[in-house]
């Protein structure tokens, strides 16, 4: 057939060309071929390792956090929903405790009328609570920063930057750090250091639960308990992570706007209809037993959310009847739903930003939040932002 003839003719020509070039560059061709074959094998192996759910391998890369924020926050195609749902729910190396165990294996029936006691903060006890800090000066805004006990570097950076001023835009602002119990062999030594640090700054709140990644919901609920019992007169509070940039002036200005509700107000970066992660290997995995619905109620991303200070007591009360799961921000969303409330979009939603690629002074002068890579970055950007020249 004509087609076949043509085909073989073309093939013949190709073969000739291949053969002649092969003949001429035999050694070079061999090296390249071997190299390509090796490259293919390496890529295949890497792809296989990653796809076979070995997330932990990625975590050993120092740039892991940055990259997953870029790839998985933006791409909804390849990633399981979790990766762009919760850029903040990553495990920090220093927060992993040896006996990491899912909350589901803890007892769920509690004494004294509490149905789900492990999420109910009043089952834990304050070791340090600085109750006087709110009494001397009624704050307009309290910034509550959950941080690992050993992460003094992050606390010091915050104390030098957005946590430094006690009066912002004419309002009293208080910054406090929330810690659980340190794990590890040097726990006793750490305890002494923390006491010393608190004597110096009077800004540590510590409770007696194990400070682990899977206990972040407890940490958040203990924050709520502290606000409800030690600082009920404050107008607003914010839960903000320790690796954040916070433009505190813009936040206070936002809260001073006349339309901002004084009650039942929760705002931040809103997450709608986020699917619950059912991939067992994911760190955002939540079992159907713990949380049966396929999606979370509307919630505010955990990096930083702001609320009127009537809500903490309501969260504490309602947490008695909500089974805890380890996704603290979605858990707060659940509390809101159970209270018949919903988060509100901020006046300017683009001020709550998660990932940033590059520091830009003008940009940082307009936003409220950004996730940063390190405490050094925070100090560097803050110092630059505070220079006297106009930022834009
Ligand atoms: C993005 O998500 C995929 C989803 O499986 C994961 O395998 C990958 O490690 C993530 N990317 C990064 C850079 O972490
Ligand atoms: C959470 O804290 C409780 C109370 O300290 C502890 O018993 C439990 O082991 C912790 N859970 C995890 C998963 O770390």
């Amino acid at each position: 057939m004509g087609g076949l003839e043509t085909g073989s003719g073309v093939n013949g020509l190709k073969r000739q060309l291949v053969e002649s070039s092969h003949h001429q560059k035999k050694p070079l061709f061999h090296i390249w071929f071997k190299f390509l074959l090796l490259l293919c094998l390496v890529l295949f192996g890497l792809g296989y390792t990653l796809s076979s759910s070995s997330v932990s391998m990625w975590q050993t890369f120092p740039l892991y956090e940055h990259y997953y924020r870029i790839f998985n926050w933006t791409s909804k195609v390849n990633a399981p929903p979790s990766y762009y749902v919760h850029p903040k729910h990553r495990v920090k190396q220093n927060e992993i405790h040896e006996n990491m165990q899912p909350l589901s294996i803890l007892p769920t029936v509690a004494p004294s009328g509490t149905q789900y006691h492990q999420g109910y903060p009043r089952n834990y006890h304050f070791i340090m609570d600085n109750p006087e800090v709110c009494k001397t000066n009624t704050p307009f805004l309290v910034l509550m920063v959950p941080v690992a006990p050993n992460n003094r570097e992050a606390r010091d950076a915050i104390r030098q930057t957005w946590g430094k001023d006690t009066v912002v835009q004419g309002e009293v602002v208080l910054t406090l750090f929330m810690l659980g119990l340190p794990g590890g062999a040097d726990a006793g030594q750490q305890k002494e250091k923390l006491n010393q640090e608190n004597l110096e700054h009077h800004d540590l709140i510590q409770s007696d639960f194990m400070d682990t990644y899977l206990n972040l919901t407890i940490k958040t609920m203990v924050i709520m308990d502290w606000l409800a019992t030690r600082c009920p007169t404050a107008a607003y509070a914010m839960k903000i992570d320790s690796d954040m940039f916070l433009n505190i002036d813009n936040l206070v200005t936002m809260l001073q706007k006349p339309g901002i509700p004084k009650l039942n107000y929760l705002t931040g970066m809103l997450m709608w209809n986020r699917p619950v992660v059912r991939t067992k290997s994911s760190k955002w995995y939540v079992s159907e037993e713990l949380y049966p619905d396929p999606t979370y109620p509307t919630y505010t991303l955990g990096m930083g959310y702001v609320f009127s200070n009537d809500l903490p007591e309501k969260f504490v009360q309602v947490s008695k009847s909500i089974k805890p799961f380890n996704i603290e921000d979605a858990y707060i969303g659940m509390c809101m739903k159970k209270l018949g409330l919903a988060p509100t979009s901020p006046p300017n939603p683009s001020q709550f930003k998660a990932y940033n690629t590059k520091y830009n002074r003008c940009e940082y002068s307009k936003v409220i939040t950004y996730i940063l890579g390190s405490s050094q970055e925070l100090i560097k950007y803050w110092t630059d932002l505070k220079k006297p020249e106009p930022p834009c």
Side-chain angles (χ1 to χ4, degrees):
M1 275 163 86
L4 221 145
E5 267 172 33
T6 321
S8 69
V10 170
N11 280 345
L13 188 68
K14 265 191 188 164
R15 198 184 310 131
Q16 266 184 15
L17 284 172
V18 168
E19 273 170 1
S20 67
S21 64
H22 188 246
H23 186 72
Q24 281 170 358
K25 305 176 177 174
K26 200 174 175 182
L28 196 65
F29 179 81
H30 259 271
I31 292 166
W32 270 104
F33 183 74
K34 278 181 188 164
F35 176 73
L36 281 175
L37 198 70
L38 201 70
L39 194 71
C40 284
L41 275 171
V42 166
L43 284 178
F44 179 79
L46 196 68
Y48 181 78
T49 327
L50 291 181
S51 68
S52 66
S53 77
S54 158
V55 186
S56 58
M57 183 187 154
W58 255 124
Q59 288 167 7
T60 60
F61 283 94
L63 286 176
Y64 160 72
E65 289 185 0
H66 271 108
Y67 284 120
Y68 99 71
R69 281 173 184 171
I70 301 172
F71 296 139
N72 291 337
W73 171 258
T74 48
S75 108
K76 306 188 180 187
V77 191
N78 288 326
S82 60
Y83 288 90
Y84 62 88
V85 172
H86 299 292
K88 296 301 298 168
H89 286 290
R90 59 202 187 264
V91 175
K92 288 179 187 165
Q93 299 307 340
N94 58 8
E95 283 183 351
I96 306 173
H97 191 247
E98 308 88 81
N99 62 1
M100 239 172 131
Q101 44 179 267
L103 282 165
S104 57
I105 64 168
L106 298 170
T108 45
V109 186
S112 66
T114 317
Q115 205 179 347
Y116 299 115
H117 80 133
Q118 72 272 47
Y120 181 60
R122 289 180 188 159
N123 289 307
Y124 305 99
H125 307 94
F126 290 107
I127 299 165
M128 288 190 245
D129 69 344
N130 286 302
E132 72 295 336
V133 290
C134 267
K135 303 215 167 78
T136 36
N137 246 336
T138 302
F140 172 71
L141 173 66
V142 187
L143 304 174
M144 297 293 279
V145 190
V147 57
N150 64 3
N151 199 353
R152 169 110 199 212
E153 189 191 8
R155 292 191 289 274
D156 282 342
I158 292 167
R159 286 177 183 125
Q160 289 171 55
T161 56
W162 47 261
K164 188 178 174 195
D165 291 333
T166 50
V167 178
V168 177
Q169 305 287 318
E171 309 279 7
V172 176
V173 177
L174 196 62
T175 304
L176 298 163
F177 300 97
M178 180 72 226
L179 331 168
L181 291 176
D186 63 340
Q189 211 185 330
Q190 279 201 55
K191 186 174 184 283
E192 201 34 59
K193 278 194 198 156
L194 290 173
N195 286 339
Q196 226 18 69
E197 188 181 335
N198 188 48
L199 273 179
E200 233 175 281
H201 299 282
H202 305 281
D203 60 1
L204 302 186
I205 312 294
Q206 190 181 27
S207 176
D208 67 351
F209 64 90
M210 286 310 304
D211 200 310
T212 62
Y213 179 73
L214 285 170
N215 270 346
L216 279 186
T217 298
I218 297 177
K219 209 170 192 175
T220 292
M221 291 314 295
V222 170
I223 285 178
M224 298 303 168
D225 185 28
W226 189 88
L227 287 166
T229 56
R230 271 64 168 182
C231 203
T233 52
Y236 295 97
M238 180 183 205
K239 180 250 152 177
I240 175 156
D241 283 340
S242 62
D243 60 350
M244 297 296 296
F245 168 83
L246 173 67
N247 191 319
I248 181 71
D249 290 276
N250 291 352
L251 174 60
V252 171
T253 304
M254 182 197 94
L255 290 171
Q256 285 171 328
K257 288 199 161 89
I260 298 295
K262 294 190 163 36
L263 295 173
N264 298 330
Y265 182 62
L266 169 67
T267 196
M269 186 191 260
L270 263 55
M271 300 281 122
W272 291 278
N273 296 317
R274 293 305 180 169
V276 178
V277 177
R278 305 292 191 198
T279 316
K280 285 221 169 84
S281 54
S282 165
K283 23 184 195 300
W284 303 286
Y285 168 71
V286 172
S287 70
E288 282 177 44
E289 188 203 334
L290 275 186
Y291 189 91
D293 284 0
T295 55
Y296 288 122
T298 308
Y299 66 93
T300 45
L301 197 66
M303 60 172 190
Y305 48 85
V306 186
F307 44 95
S308 54
N309 203 34
D310 59 310
L311 283 177
E313 177 61 30
K314 295 174 187 170
F315 291 152
V316 169
Q317 290 309 324
V318 83
S319 74
K320 288 179 193 172
S321 58
I322 305 174
K323 206 167 192 170
F325 51 93
N326 46 300
I327 313 292
E328 64 87 21
D329 46 6
Y331 186 79
I332 290 296
M334 199 60 206
C335 291
M336 287 292 278
K337 190 181 169 192
K338 204 109 191 182
L339 290 165
L341 304 169
T344 313
S345 265
N348 178 358
S350 72
Q351 285 188 303
F352 285 84
K353 291 213 156 77
Y355 187 70
N356 76 321
T357 38
K358 205 167 164 240
Y359 172 73
N360 175 309
R361 189 159 181 252
C362 179
E363 171 75 6
Y364 272 62
S365 73
K366 293 175 181 164
V367 299
I368 290 177
T369 65
Y370 255 133
I371 300 174
L372 298 178
S374 68
S375 297
Q376 295 96 292
E377 236 174 69
L378 172 59
I379 295 171
K380 206 166 87 194
Y381 298 170
W382 186 269
T383 313
D384 186 70
L385 187 67
K386 294 292 161 183
K387 285 189 307 200
E389 305 94 83
C392 296

